Amino acid sequence: MNYTTQMDAAKKGIITKEMEVVAKKEQIEVEKLRELIAKGQVVIPANKNHKSLSAEGVGKNLRTKVNVNLGISRDCMDVDKEMEKVKTAIDMNIEAIMDLSSYGKTREFREKLIDVSPAMIGSVPIYDAVGYLDKELKDITEEEFLNVIRQHAIDGVDFITIHAGLTRSVCKKIKNNDRLTHIVSRGGSLLFAWMELNDKENPIYTNFDKILDICEEYDVTVSLGDACRPGSIADSTDGVQIDELIVLGELTKRAWARNVQVMIEGPGHMAIDEIEANVVLQKRICHGAPFYVLGPLVTDIAPGYDHITSAIGGALASAKGVDFLCYVTPAEHLRLPNLEDMKEGIIATKIAAHAGDIAKNVAGAREWDNKMSKARVDLDWEEQFKLCIDPEKARRYREESRPTHEDSCTMCGKMCSMRTVKKILKNEEVSLI
């Protein structure tokens, strides 16, 4: 039986090879997975032209996935240096890479990325439009925007972020609203500018059906971007954000009618006590579609440490039902992340995702922690390193401060609680001098 997309296959009762891969990774029955995909509650972003892909699922009952943002820009155009980050991110077993390239040899980078990456690849085509077309923003035509989207699909991008919910009605409310940080979404701000400069409706909204044609042809998942996400805790959960979310819910149904898979993007900056309500609201308004968030950052005052502010918010968001976390690095709000920034951002976000998975009782999550606890009780340092989320750092810390007694560490030495209790339980002598 033929099918066009993973969702189309799922609705027809077909088990695809991608579904089988994901079911095995997630320790879930493949038939149950198929049902969730048919309902739109799980997506498998898998472009037909991404040949190196190791499929991942995003959504209900699955592990919380982590995305890494990379790409070249006007100030940092070194493709080889960015590919070094790609290799490191892949070695760290991330599930997704978003190519946010906006200037220079963007297609060269994208093609190299897709060629080597087993991780799913996302992009924001509007970022690429100005450089790819070599035209000022206001002069880009609606057809040219579609051409850039089509090129990304042809190249093998698995999911695209499009800011289709930023209608003129929503824009009017932005202009009449006392938002502290206005529009902080780069894609949203570009579309807002284009709409104002050309006195037209959002071309991504008016051409949504044509975009679905492209996505259906190549099985590209639509990630409905939140152009109006709050860029400060002062703006979180305001009327502008909610108005756009309502539009995204309507667009979700239109995409599903065409068997195009959908994710919904979300905040952003948000006070910690608003996170759970936002997750519930998104899931309700957008009919249970997978939820993909940046952070959320729970305070605005920590530049240089925003991998921590976002991990705090990300852990709670994941625990309450968020399916996909976009990493935030220590360089957020300050500069393009370097290799070390990227690594710190990945680790912080992976910790947040796993903490959420424990709360959601995702298959295998608690078992990992239990194995680590057993290795600690056994004072088995090699097993602890093996189970670490960052083995290199853990091993380096121990090597930098070696204990007198190898079955302890320099924090407690012979007073190590694990060592003491273990000896007592074995009826052995306890000597602390």
Side-chain angles (χ1 to χ4, degrees):
M1 189 183 296
N2 294 327
Y3 62 90
T4 55
T5 67
Q6 295 292 323
M7 176 174 258
D8 183 38
K11 288 179 179 178
K12 291 176 177 176
I14 300 171
I15 302 295
T16 67
K17 65 179 185 298
E18 290 82 10
M19 292 179 201
E20 291 174 344
V21 169
V22 171
K24 184 175 181 180
K25 287 182 179 181
E26 299 287 347
Q27 302 176 47
I28 187 174
E29 293 181 6
V30 71
E31 178 58 25
K32 176 62 176 176
L33 179 66
R34 183 198 65 75
E35 291 174 0
L36 292 169
I37 295 169
K39 293 176 182 177
Q41 295 175 342
V42 167
V43 299
I44 300 180
N47 188 309
K48 296 171 183 176
N49 290 340
H50 187 180
K51 305 303 182 185
S52 60
L53 177 69
S54 177
E56 296 283 357
V58 179
K60 187 175 181 180
N61 297 340
L62 309 185
R63 288 177 298 108
T64 306
K65 303 307 184 297
V66 173
N67 172 72
V68 172
N69 290 337
L70 297 173
I72 57 174
S73 64
R74 183 181 290 273
D75 292 315
C76 300
M77 291 189 288
D78 191 327
V79 170
D80 292 335
K81 185 173 288 188
E82 209 62 15
M83 285 303 298
E84 182 183 354
K85 293 182 191 175
V86 169
K87 182 180 183 305
T88 300
I90 292 170
D91 288 344
M92 294 177 74
N93 298 314
I94 51 82
E95 292 93 5
I97 297 174
M98 282 202 78
D99 175 14
L100 304 188
S101 295
S102 59
Y103 192 82
K105 297 179 180 179
T106 57
R107 192 176 181 208
E108 176 186 331
F109 174 70
R110 184 166 61 251
E111 289 179 324
K112 285 186 175 182
L113 172 61
I114 292 168
D115 184 54
V116 303
S117 178
M120 52 186 165
I121 303 300
S123 71
V124 190
I126 194 170
Y127 289 2
D128 192 25
V130 174
Y132 180 79
L133 297 168
D134 194 23
K135 295 178 72 171
E136 286 295 340
L137 177 65
K138 66 181 178 61
D139 298 325
I140 297 175
T141 67
E142 296 187 30
E143 190 61 33
E144 285 172 330
F145 279 128
L146 292 176
N147 289 341
V148 176
I149 291 172
R150 177 171 288 279
Q151 188 62 64
H152 282 225
I154 291 170
D155 290 342
V157 168
D158 301 298
F159 64 97
I160 56 168
T161 292
I162 56 171
H163 300 88
L166 185 66
T167 62
R168 295 205 78 177
S169 173
V170 173
C171 287
K172 184 177 179 181
K173 292 185 178 181
I174 292 170
K175 289 189 287 185
N176 295 331
N177 194 281
D178 59 353
R179 271 194 150 200
L180 185 60
T181 48
H182 310 298
I183 298 176
V184 297
S185 159
R186 192 192 328 177
S189 67
L190 292 172
L191 276 174
F192 177 77
W194 186 94
M195 293 159 69
E196 291 294 306
L197 291 168
N198 290 284
D199 193 26
K200 286 186 175 181
E201 179 59 277
N202 181 349
I204 308 302
Y205 179 75
T206 56
N207 290 280
F208 190 65
D209 287 328
K210 292 180 180 179
I211 294 171
L212 293 180
D213 288 339
I214 297 169
C215 292
E216 184 180 22
E217 182 177 355
Y218 297 94
D219 198 0
V220 176
T221 297
V222 169
S223 187
L224 290 173
D226 53 335
C228 300
R229 70 173 181 264
S232 61
I233 62 170
D235 294 338
S236 61
T237 326
D238 68 355
V240 174
Q241 177 193 333
I242 304 307
D243 276 357
E244 183 188 30
L245 185 63
I246 291 169
V247 179
L248 299 186
E250 295 166 354
L251 294 174
T252 296
K253 283 192 169 183
R254 285 172 59 183
W256 285 348
R258 295 286 303 278
N259 295 319
V260 173
Q261 301 181 101
V262 176
M263 296 186 290
I264 309 295
E265 295 186 14
H269 294 237
M270 181 165 292
I272 198 168
D273 61 326
E274 296 180 43
I275 292 174
E276 181 175 3
N278 269 260
V279 177
V280 172
L281 196 63
Q282 183 277 336
K283 290 283 186 176
R284 186 66 177 267
I285 291 176
C286 296
H287 322 294
F291 197 12
Y292 172 30
V293 300
L294 176 69
L297 285 70
V298 294
T299 178
D300 302 333
I301 64 167
Y305 299 91
D306 277 329
H307 59 312
I308 297 173
T309 66
S310 68
I312 293 168
L316 180 56
S318 173
K320 299 304 180 181
V322 159
D323 309 289
F324 198 9
L325 299 178
C326 184
Y327 91 149
V328 175
T329 78
E332 186 78 9
H333 302 111
L334 300 171
R335 60 169 168 80
L336 188 78
N338 62 25
L339 185 61
E340 288 305 309
D341 295 329
M342 183 195 75
K343 289 167 69 174
E344 286 195 51
I346 289 174
I347 294 299
T349 311
K350 288 180 78 169
I351 292 169
H354 181 68
D357 288 347
I358 292 170
K360 290 186 288 192
N361 290 314
V362 171
R366 283 180 179 269
E367 285 79 359
W368 185 4
D369 289 71
N370 292 341
K371 287 177 182 178
M372 174 62 86
S373 296
K374 178 66 163 58
R376 283 179 174 153
V377 168
D378 293 340
L379 299 170
D380 186 339
W381 296 98
E382 284 303 318
E383 183 67 7
Q384 289 180 57
F385 298 147
K386 178 182 173 183
L387 292 166
C388 277
I389 203 162
D390 184 1
E392 184 276 328
K393 186 173 185 178
R395 187 181 294 277
R396 173 164 53 83
Y397 270 35
R398 181 162 172 81
E399 291 300 322
E400 287 173 353
S401 184
R402 299 292 302 186
T404 302
H405 298 273
E406 285 298 316
D407 60 352
S408 63
C409 75
T410 53
M411 178 70 179
C412 299
K414 293 179 75 175
M415 290 186 182
C416 169
S417 60
M418 299 292 187
R419 182 176 184 271
T420 299
V421 174
K422 194 172 182 180
K423 284 184 174 293
I424 291 294
L425 292 176
K426 287 184 175 181
N427 294 315
E428 294 178 1
E429 186 72 25
V430 176
S431 173
L432 302 180
I433 306 299

